[in-house]
Amino acid sequence: MTASPYGALSPYRPQPAAGHLLVPACAGLLALAALASVLWSGPVERPVALAFGALVALGELTRWTGTGAREAAPLGAAGAMAYALLGDVAGRPTQHGVGQTVTVVLAASLLGSVPHIARGGGPVLDHLARRVLTVAFAAVCFQPLSNQGAFRDWSGPAHALLLIALLALTALCDALLAAVPAHARTGWPLGPLLREELRGMVGITSAVCATGAVMALAVAVAGLWALPVFCVPLLLTQLSYRRYAAVRATYRQTIACLARATEIAGYTPVGHARRVAELSRAVGRDLGLSGAELTVLEYAALMHDIGQLSLVDPVPAGATACLPAADQRRIALLGGAVVRRTGVDAAVAVVVERQADPCREQPVAARIVRAVNAYEEKTRDAGPGGGLTALEELRLAVADDYAPDVVEALARVLSRQGGAARECPG
């Protein structure tokens, strides 16, 4: 339950707002308070703290970087959650409390991150902040009541269900901690960001929660020797997930290479497909598209001009937005046929095929690609003020050309990144 990426939108990334620093600031204050409490009262149950600290540090050492993984250190997250929800060790009650839980997890996370930081790939501040706050939330919900013996009569299924319920609440807290700073930093709507975080919990986050609960239950019965036994399944899951991420990255690179075919052949300007894809993804994010929908949109935007490879006479500068509607539809259908033969997802081919249809009949992704492509073509060589002129042309176009909600979303994206929309009235 750590960093969640929201797509690489480098040329169109809005400037961060001060609100996104609220989560790290709260985590820092909490960490200082936890450390002060441990220094004041002294650590307890040191072997248990060292065992779970070593587990969290190992999880951070084996974390993977440079990917869009929603949870980069699942073993560390599971160990941290297990320590926060630990009430007994081999039948003996524990008394480590909230302050020691937060201190051990933070210290172990920092220790395990040293090699990554030395290589310049260490966890970002948000990663550590969310780890501290989620662990603190789980510990606050469980440790005080457990230390008072409130769960002594909870055994078997009842205790397991209690841990699962607390982990589910912690996962919801983590999703909120991811969505709110992203909303403050990017300006994207909070609702879709939160929905995407919740959808992402079906994958690796579910495995982390389940492993955390099993670790806590196993240590309560079998002692600390249960930790290495239950580390192995999550390590294997992490390895499989890493390979899956590598396959996905290779798949995207293949699509990007196919999209460059029109540039290499001289049909479209260099970088046109990449710029349309990046801006289309930003517009889709503003309109609340989910992660899977954004992926289809990005791939379709990368390959939206590939139908031009079937033309005998190239379109001047690859500017299809100025062609007659019949020619635009013919190129779009040719492009969809090419996409289908490449083995890319059929949903991508549908978007490419329908980008020239009347906008009322188009799926949302096709509306976005059409509007963004037209904007990019109109502003390509327009000079200062060209972006404003292009947006005005899109707004004044007939209803079947460009969807008004897409054009307004495009204006908001450009405004956030300091583009032409700042000059637009209203």
Side-chain angles (χ1 to χ4, degrees):
M1 288 176 283
T2 53
S4 171
Y6 290 94
L9 310 173
S10 51
Y12 303 101
R13 192 189 300 274
Q15 294 298 319
H20 80 286
L21 297 175
L22 180 61
V23 169
C26 292
L29 292 174
L30 179 61
L32 290 175
L35 178 60
S37 69
V38 172
L39 293 176
W40 178 262
S41 60
V44 298
E45 299 163 353
R46 295 186 181 184
V48 177
L50 288 174
F52 277 93
L55 179 62
V56 174
L58 176 63
E60 289 296 333
L61 282 171
T62 58
R63 74 191 305 269
W64 64 83
T65 58
T67 69
R70 185 172 298 272
E71 174 52 74
L75 181 59
M81 289 298 105
Y83 190 48
L85 300 178
L86 185 66
D88 297 281
V89 176
R92 296 191 303 272
T94 60
Q95 298 292 329
H96 52 275
V98 177
Q100 182 166 313
T101 301
V102 173
T103 301
V104 169
V105 169
L106 178 58
S109 298
L110 290 172
L111 181 62
S113 301
V114 169
H116 300 290
I117 295 174
R119 294 194 299 265
V124 295
L125 184 61
D126 287 346
H127 165 82
L128 292 175
R130 288 173 58 192
R131 174 67 57 81
V132 167
L133 291 176
T134 52
V135 166
F137 177 84
V140 166
C141 292
F142 182 81
Q143 288 298 327
L145 294 176
S146 176
N147 292 341
Q148 294 173 9
F151 304 131
R152 289 284 172 249
D153 296 331
W154 294 54
S155 60
H159 189 59
L161 289 175
L162 170 66
L163 296 186
I164 292 173
L166 290 177
L167 284 169
L169 289 175
T170 304
L172 292 175
C173 173
D174 182 68
L176 192 61
L177 290 173
V180 170
H183 169 70
R185 183 172 58 249
T186 65
W188 307 133
L190 178 60
L193 290 174
L194 185 57
R195 284 197 301 271
E196 185 172 339
E197 283 293 328
L198 295 175
R199 289 191 189 102
M201 291 180 182
V202 177
I204 191 69
T205 304
S206 300
V208 168
C209 290
T211 305
V214 169
M215 281 183 178
L217 291 171
V219 171
V221 176
L224 297 176
W225 290 106
L227 290 179
V229 175
F230 288 97
C231 286
V232 176
L234 196 56
L235 283 173
L236 294 176
T237 301
Q238 180 174 338
L239 179 61
S240 300
Y241 197 82
R242 183 181 302 189
R243 291 179 176 176
Y244 171 74
V247 171
R248 288 291 302 270
T250 302
Y251 181 69
R252 188 190 183 284
Q253 291 170 0
T254 302
I255 291 177
C257 290
L258 288 172
R260 289 194 60 202
T262 56
E263 301 173 8
I264 296 171
Y267 283 83
T268 58
V270 175
H272 170 70
R274 176 184 56 81
R275 291 190 295 271
V276 172
E278 288 168 343
L279 188 50
S280 293
R281 188 179 176 100
V283 173
R285 171 68 65 191
D286 187 88
L287 290 173
L289 269 61
S290 67
E293 293 168 332
L294 288 173
T295 299
V296 170
L297 171 61
E298 181 182 8
Y299 291 170
L302 282 170
M303 306 182 76
H304 75 281
D305 272 332
I306 204 167
Q308 295 194 43
L309 294 174
S310 303
L311 300 178
V312 176
D313 298 319
V315 178
T320 56
C322 300
L323 294 177
D327 291 341
Q328 292 186 37
R329 291 194 184 96
R330 180 168 64 89
I331 294 173
L333 291 173
L334 290 171
V338 172
V339 173
R340 291 181 188 279
R341 292 178 183 175
T342 62
V344 177
D345 187 354
V348 177
V350 171
V351 176
V352 173
E353 288 172 343
R354 301 189 62 184
Q355 61 179 309
D357 291 354
C359 75
R360 292 188 180 89
E361 303 172 9
Q362 291 176 309
V364 174
R367 297 180 184 181
I368 294 172
V369 172
R370 179 172 183 169
V372 172
N373 176 61
Y375 172 82
E376 211 280 331
E377 289 180 357
K378 293 175 184 295
T379 58
R380 186 179 298 152
D381 301 313
L388 172 59
T389 303
L391 279 173
E392 289 178 344
E393 291 180 9
L394 296 182
R395 282 170 166 159
L396 295 174
V398 296
D400 279 345
D401 285 344
Y402 308 107
D405 59 334
V406 173
V407 176
E408 294 309 313
L410 173 60
R412 290 192 297 270
V413 168
L414 294 170
S415 177
R416 283 194 292 266
Q417 65 92 30
R422 286 191 175 181
E423 306 170 27
C424 297

